[in-house]
Amino acid sequence: MPERLMMEDAALAEEARNGNAAAFVKLAKRWWTPLYRFSWNISGSASCAAQITERTLLAAIHSVEPPPFTRVSFKVFLYRVALRLTLTREPPASTGRQDALGTIREVRQRIGPLDSAALE
C-alpha cells in the first residue's frame, strides 16, 4: 500500500475519533473486505468474521492515546487487532471436531512468553 494511503488511513481514524462519521465510513469501506477475509480464514466462521471486522474497525477509532498506529503502520495495527480478537473469541458450541482455536490457545500456554508474544 502506498505511503500516502497509509497516512490517509491514520488521518481518517483520527478524524473518526473526533466524531467525523464520514471518515469512519471511508475507513470501513476501504478495510472491511480484507479484514473480513483475514478473520474468516482464521476463524472459519462468516458470522464471527463479520463481528471481528466490526470490532476491529471500532478499535481503530477508540484506541487509547496515543494511537497505536503512530508506532506502527495503520495496516499492521488493524491486522494485529483482528488477529487478537479472532484468537481470543469465545469458541463456538462444540461441533464434535477439535477446535483449532483451542489448539492455538493450548500451544500458546506451552511456549515461552517471548514466542507467545510473537503471535500477538
Side-chain angles (χ1 to χ4, degrees):
M1 178 175 283
E3 182 72 26
R4 179 185 59 78
L5 283 179
M6 287 190 293
M7 290 172 42
E8 183 179 326
D9 286 339
L12 285 171
E14 185 64 33
E15 287 180 37
R17 181 179 294 108
N18 293 325
N20 184 339
F24 180 76
V25 169
K26 188 172 182 180
L27 198 63
K29 283 182 179 181
R30 181 176 296 160
W31 286 102
W32 183 271
T33 300
L35 289 172
Y36 176 85
R37 286 179 184 158
F38 177 77
S39 296
W40 185 83
N41 283 330
I42 295 171
S43 70
S45 165
S47 63
C48 179
Q51 291 173 1
I52 288 168
T53 301
E54 180 181 1
R55 289 177 59 197
T56 299
L57 291 167
L58 290 172
I61 63 166
H62 293 297
S63 62
V64 295
E65 296 294 333
F69 40 88
T70 59
R71 296 182 302 273
V72 297
S73 74
F74 186 75
K75 179 180 180 178
V76 170
F77 168 73
L78 284 177
Y79 280 95
R80 186 182 292 171
V81 170
L83 178 63
R84 184 173 294 126
L85 290 173
T86 304
L87 294 177
T88 59
R89 72 182 170 88
E90 289 298 316
S94 177
T95 59
R97 62 183 173 93
Q98 185 177 13
D99 184 4
L101 181 59
T103 303
I104 292 170
R105 285 184 181 146
E106 291 168 14
V107 169
R108 288 187 69 192
Q109 289 172 351
R110 289 185 292 198
I111 61 177
L114 183 60
D115 293 328
S116 180
L119 296 174
E120 293 185 17

